[in-house]
Amino acid sequence: MLPVPQISAFNPPRRILMGPGPSDVYPDVLAAQARPTIGHLDPLFVNMMDELKQLIQYAFQTKNEMTLAVSAPGSAGMETCFVNLVEPGEKVIVCRNGVFGERMRQNVERVGGVAVVVDNEWGEPVCPQKVAQALTDNPDAKFLAFVHAETSTGALSDAKALCALAQSHDCLTIVDAVTSLGGVELRVDDWGIDAIYSGSQKCLSCVPGLSPVSFSDKAVEKLKNRQTPVQSWFLDQTLVMGYWGNANGGKRSYHHTAPVNALYALHESLRLLANEGLENAWARHKNMHLLLREGLTKLGLTFVVDEASRLPQLNAVYIPQGADDAAIRSQLLQQYNLEIGAGLGALAGKAWRIGLMGFGARRENVALCLKALEDVLS
Amino acid sequence: MLPVPQISAFNPPRRILMGPGPSDVYPDVLAAQARPTIGHLDPLFVNMMDELKQLIQYAFQTKNEMTLAVSAPGSAGMETCFVNLVEPGEKVIVCRNGVFGERMRQNVERVGGVAVVVDNEWGEPVCPQKVAQALTDNPDAKFLAFVHAETSTGALSDAKALCALAQSHDCLTIVDAVTSLGGVELRVDDWGIDAIYSGSQKCLSCVPGLSPVSFSDKAVEKLKNRQTPVQSWFLDQTLVMGYWGNANGGKRSYHHTAPVNALYALHESLRLLANEGLENAWARHKNMHLLLREGLTKLGLTFVVDEASRLPQLNAVYIPQGADDAAIRSQLLQQYNLEIGAGLGALAGKAWRIGLMGFGARRENVALCLKALEDVLS
């Protein structure tokens, strides 16, 4: 036998999470998650899942039947959309203005699709004119894929306008709403989004590890008419829906063991969102952002993203000249228990990302962040 | 705006989980999971992951560097093994003696491999003679894949013998240890297993949703020498290992947001296992099984699996003639808060599956189960 590792229980400190996610989790969500595990086919659990579906529908503002939580993080939600909808050889127009657009491109290639990339600079929103041109130049494109709220830069793109363009060219839309859901306006049905995924750990302030996903009837039709099998067994939604209850006349069939306790947490976080009301949550994120912006500006910090397309929940600011990126983030963490995010990709070492997400979008967090930054930058 | 769903907080009852999993979760694991969420790149979290890796290595009895927890359930762990190791056109000998062997076959096909199926009846272990014949008949086979402990039937296969056969034919082994890990003897390095996956929700008595996985150096070599890219972005271990710390000289790079709180839970469950000691845990499962067997036999119930290959932690018994399968399971659940498992696949409606897994393998659970069954069957 190998030696027994001598390891103590892990007791994490209480951090204040103001990075790009995970965000501060609601205390009620942590408590919900710790409730007793029950079976994934228990009638009470199945009923909880029905409620969860309604709550996800509300958060996405959709009546889509195929609405559920993928049992894995947001990047698996992304893969769920591409692997189920895009068949080998099909053309996808992919908008890239940060890390996650590039990840979409990689997903297209891994499923055997053909990616046509529309590039914008990091920090810019996706340009609808460029997209219109790409759609015109590629009449055989089947999909338009873009990130609603780029977590790597804090740029918000005009999802409504982009979806309208896609529809006028008869393309299905695949939309990344990982950072947007619950934080800014998002209307899946009104805007005609066909496939959307998000993450539990951003503006929902749930624990990380789940990805709410929704497919429109048109997307479901596309999935049903595939000529080739879905290459992933785990993410194959025709199988998963046997468990989430939209196949076999509502009878649940086993696919994989659901992450029971994590789903309790998601149920509670979405319930809190519904109780607050989506529009109130959007307004709260906006108001807290304005407070933070005022303070950051006073500190002389400047934003990466222009005001018109700046996300309230993800504030990317340039690191001031002479400031030591890693040392300052470490100081905030060690001395204030405050986490802010490093720059990612093209912004690594150049920007910080300050999140105001979900439960984190509170006045006390804004105050702490501003005072701590003032201290460590002075 | 859509109407706000009116949904109450979910308060599950305290069930006693004696089905095929999820199993009863250790109270300390539920408590660990509810600790404050910290960032997935926080130095304290990274250190916790290093400990977690050691704990998984101990549970698997391996020194494999590539040892980690996939951020998704066991079926994603299965897919992780096939999608990373098997390239299009490669031949895999797949042993099928229940649901999960068949799922392996489907995985082989979805990654473009060629499955050669070795069948055994449901309830039988995998037959080494048949496997030896298949290896001889298929000298071009690159892999042998089998399920160590078939959750659908309760049959234990001789993993040591099967691995020795594979090695003598220069095949890599892919082993399903979802139900075996922590419940019966399993020695990854001694037996020469090349790729193995398990689940958090069986004999580890952790919450469902994670899959411990380990690759031998030979498996890593195979992965590194692939001619084709891994078709899944989310499960691509060459990318995931950038985060788990075995690439870039130990520097962590972001791949996806780890399921932070679920990993706290896994850390605690594996710590409890290490504190008990693996061999003690194996003995406890065996002893509780013997107690249960004695009682079930007195009740006139008979086992699906022969004694020689019967799993202690998963007891499949035939439903007595005249007993109403669904009504009895429902009665146990409603009146005793006791969950036992239905039959799956070929055993649906014919057998029950009684789990004695991890924290569930206790004398009080055995007693309750026997008395409740006696009551409802009389």
Side-chain angles (χ1 to χ4, degrees):
Chain A
M1 302 293 289
L2 296 183
V4 177
Q6 301 300 320
I7 287 171
S8 308
F10 183 60
N11 279 297
R14 172 77 182 83
R15 303 286 203 206
I16 298 101
L17 302 179
M18 298 183 72
S23 61
D24 267 356
V25 174
Y26 287 109
D28 284 354
V29 168
L30 287 176
Q33 193 198 209
R35 294 196 181 120
T37 308
I38 64 175
H40 61 116
L41 294 168
D42 192 308
L44 294 175
F45 188 70
V46 166
N47 186 57
M48 194 282 291
M49 287 172 68
D50 285 338
E51 292 179 353
L52 187 48
K53 178 176 155 183
Q54 285 178 57
L55 288 163
I56 301 173
Q57 286 174 324
Y58 171 73
F60 276 139
Q61 289 288 296
T62 183
K63 293 178 179 165
N64 287 341
E65 263 307 303
M66 192 177 274
T67 298
L68 49 72
V70 170
S71 303
S75 42
M78 180 189 287
E79 190 159 326
T80 296
C81 292
F82 287 97
V83 85
N84 280 280
L85 296 177
V86 180
E87 290 195 75
E90 288 185 339
K91 197 179 265 189
V92 184
I93 295 179
V94 179
C95 306
R96 181 170 63 180
N97 61 335
V99 164
F100 297 94
E102 165 59 16
R103 186 173 295 182
M104 282 180 149
R105 188 195 64 76
Q106 293 175 22
N107 267 272
V108 171
E109 296 204 337
R110 290 195 189 218
V111 302
V114 178
V116 175
V117 177
V118 174
D119 267 316
N120 274 98
E121 289 300 314
W122 284 55
E124 290 179 2
V126 173
C127 169
Q129 288 72 32
K130 284 192 184 182
V131 170
Q133 190 63 50
L135 286 163
T136 304
D137 293 347
N138 295 277
D140 55 336
K142 293 269 176 69
F143 300 91
L144 172 67
F146 65 89
V147 178
H148 186 205
E150 236 317 329
T151 321
S152 60
T153 67
L156 176 69
S157 291
D158 187 343
K160 186 179 179 183
L162 294 171
C163 288
L165 282 172
Q167 281 145 30
S168 70
H169 287 81
D170 212 22
C171 277
L172 296 179
T173 45
I174 298 178
V175 178
D176 179 317
V178 169
T179 288
S180 61
L181 182 66
V184 288
E185 185 178 12
L186 171 63
R187 300 173 190 273
V188 167
D189 286 358
D190 287 355
W191 297 351
I193 293 171
D194 292 300
I196 191 162
Y197 58 91
S198 188
S200 50
Q201 81 284 10
K202 308 280 185 183
C203 296
L204 303 183
S205 278
C206 178
V207 292
L210 294 172
S211 177
V213 164
S214 186
F215 281 15
S216 72
D217 291 348
K218 271 199 291 183
V220 172
E221 201 57 31
K222 176 81 173 73
L223 170 56
K224 285 185 177 160
N225 291 320
R226 284 183 68 99
Q227 304 299 306
T228 54
V230 174
Q231 71 185 22
S232 169
W233 187 91
F234 174 59
L235 299 176
D236 183 339
Q237 294 305 289
T238 61
L239 303 177
V240 172
M241 287 311 288
Y243 176 58
W244 276 80
N246 292 347
N248 313 319
K251 190 180 171 300
R252 307 273 164 164
S253 59
Y254 164 66
H255 176 257
H256 64 271
T257 303
V260 173
N261 292 70
L263 291 172
Y264 296 169
L266 185 62
H267 181 274
E268 183 62 16
S269 68
L270 288 166
R271 222 175 60 78
L272 292 171
L273 178 64
N275 285 353
E276 178 176 14
L278 259 181
E279 288 166 306
N280 293 333
W282 298 340
R284 176 169 53 84
H285 283 89
K286 181 76 182 176
N287 291 336
M288 291 304 112
H289 161 74
L290 293 175
L291 263 182
L292 181 73
R293 185 186 72 179
E294 189 187 336
L296 292 175
T297 306
K298 275 192 194 147
L299 292 175
L301 294 168
T302 56
F303 280 81
V304 171
V305 177
D306 281 347
E307 195 164 336
S309 50
R310 202 177 284 164
L311 280 170
Q313 65 268 48
L314 200 288
N315 297 269
V317 290
Y318 289 110
I319 299 171
Q321 256 193 329
D324 182 332
D325 174 18
I328 283 180
R329 283 187 292 106
S330 174
Q331 202 181 340
L332 291 173
L333 194 66
Q334 304 304 331
Q335 296 179 1
Y336 299 81
N337 271 311
L338 172 64
E339 178 178 273
I340 67 167
L344 192 61
L347 293 174
K350 296 183 186 156
W352 290 320
R353 292 178 296 158
I354 302 174
L356 286 171
M357 297 180 175
F359 182 55
R362 284 175 297 155
R363 198 173 277 265
E364 55 265 49
N365 278 21
V366 173
L368 165 68
C369 179
L370 289 173
K371 185 66 177 116
L373 273 175
E374 185 187 333
D375 290 356
V376 298
L377 288 175
S378 65
Chain B
M1 301 293 289
L2 296 183
V4 177
Q6 300 300 317
I7 288 172
S8 308
F10 183 60
N11 279 297
R14 172 78 183 84
R15 304 287 203 205
I16 297 100
L17 301 180
M18 298 183 72
S23 61
D24 267 357
V25 174
Y26 287 108
D28 284 355
V29 168
L30 287 176
Q33 192 199 210
R35 293 194 182 121
T37 308
I38 64 174
H40 62 118
L41 294 168
D42 191 308
L44 295 175
F45 188 71
V46 166
N47 187 57
M48 194 281 292
M49 287 173 68
D50 286 337
E51 293 179 351
L52 187 49
K53 179 176 156 184
Q54 285 179 57
L55 289 163
I56 300 173
Q57 286 173 324
Y58 170 73
F60 276 138
Q61 288 290 295
T62 184
K63 293 178 179 164
N64 286 341
E65 263 307 302
M66 192 179 273
T67 299
L68 51 73
V70 171
S71 304
S75 42
M78 179 189 287
E79 190 158 325
T80 297
C81 292
F82 288 96
V83 85
N84 281 280
L85 297 177
V86 180
E87 289 194 76
E90 289 185 336
K91 197 179 266 191
V92 184
I93 296 180
V94 178
C95 306
R96 181 170 62 177
N97 61 337
V99 164
F100 296 95
E102 164 59 16
R103 186 173 295 182
M104 282 180 150
R105 188 195 64 76
Q106 293 174 22
N107 267 273
V108 170
E109 296 204 337
R110 291 197 187 215
V111 302
V114 178
V116 176
V117 177
V118 173
D119 267 315
N120 275 96
E121 289 300 314
W122 283 56
E124 291 177 1
V126 173
C127 169
Q129 288 72 32
K130 284 191 183 182
V131 170
Q133 190 62 51
L135 286 162
T136 305
D137 294 346
N138 294 278
D140 55 336
K142 293 267 175 71
F143 299 91
L144 172 67
F146 65 90
V147 178
H148 187 207
E150 237 314 332
T151 321
S152 60
T153 68
L156 177 68
S157 291
D158 187 344
K160 187 179 179 182
L162 294 172
C163 287
L165 282 172
Q167 281 145 29
S168 70
H169 287 81
D170 212 23
C171 277
L172 297 178
T173 46
I174 299 178
V175 179
D176 179 317
V178 170
T179 288
S180 61
L181 182 66
V184 288
E185 186 178 10
L186 171 63
R187 300 174 189 272
V188 167
D189 285 358
D190 288 354
W191 297 352
I193 292 171
D194 292 300
I196 191 162
Y197 58 92
S198 187
S200 50
Q201 81 285 9
K202 309 279 187 184
C203 297
L204 303 182
S205 278
C206 178
V207 292
L210 294 172
S211 178
V213 164
S214 186
F215 281 15
S216 73
D217 291 348
K218 271 201 291 185
V220 172
E221 201 58 32
K222 175 82 174 71
L223 169 57
K224 284 186 176 161
N225 290 319
R226 284 183 68 100
Q227 302 301 305
T228 53
V230 174
Q231 71 186 22
S232 168
W233 187 92
F234 175 58
L235 299 176
D236 184 338
Q237 294 305 289
T238 61
L239 303 177
V240 172
M241 288 310 289
Y243 176 58
W244 275 80
N246 292 348
N248 312 322
K251 187 179 173 298
R252 309 272 163 165
S253 58
Y254 164 67
H255 176 257
H256 64 271
T257 304
V260 173
N261 293 68
L263 291 172
Y264 295 169
L266 185 62
H267 180 273
E268 183 62 16
S269 68
L270 287 166
R271 222 177 61 78
L272 293 171
L273 178 64
N275 285 353
E276 179 176 13
L278 257 182
E279 288 166 307
N280 294 332
W282 299 338
R284 177 169 53 83
H285 282 89
K286 181 76 180 176
N287 291 336
M288 290 304 111
H289 161 73
L290 292 176
L291 262 183
L292 181 73
R293 185 186 72 179
E294 190 187 336
L296 292 175
T297 306
K298 276 193 192 145
L299 291 175
L301 295 168
T302 55
F303 279 81
V304 171
V305 176
D306 282 348
E307 196 164 333
S309 50
R310 202 177 283 164
L311 281 170
Q313 64 270 47
L314 200 287
N315 298 268
V317 290
Y318 288 109
I319 300 170
Q321 257 193 327
D324 182 333
D325 175 19
I328 284 180
R329 283 187 292 105
S330 176
Q331 204 182 340
L332 291 172
L333 194 67
Q334 304 305 331
Q335 295 179 1
Y336 298 81
N337 271 311
L338 172 64
E339 178 177 274
I340 66 168
L344 193 59
L347 293 173
K350 296 182 185 158
W352 290 320
R353 290 178 296 157
I354 303 175
L356 286 171
M357 297 178 175
F359 183 55
R362 285 175 296 154
R363 199 173 278 267
E364 55 265 49
N365 277 22
V366 173
L368 166 68
C369 179
L370 289 174
K371 186 65 178 116
L373 273 175
E374 187 187 332
D375 290 355
V376 298
L377 287 175
S378 64

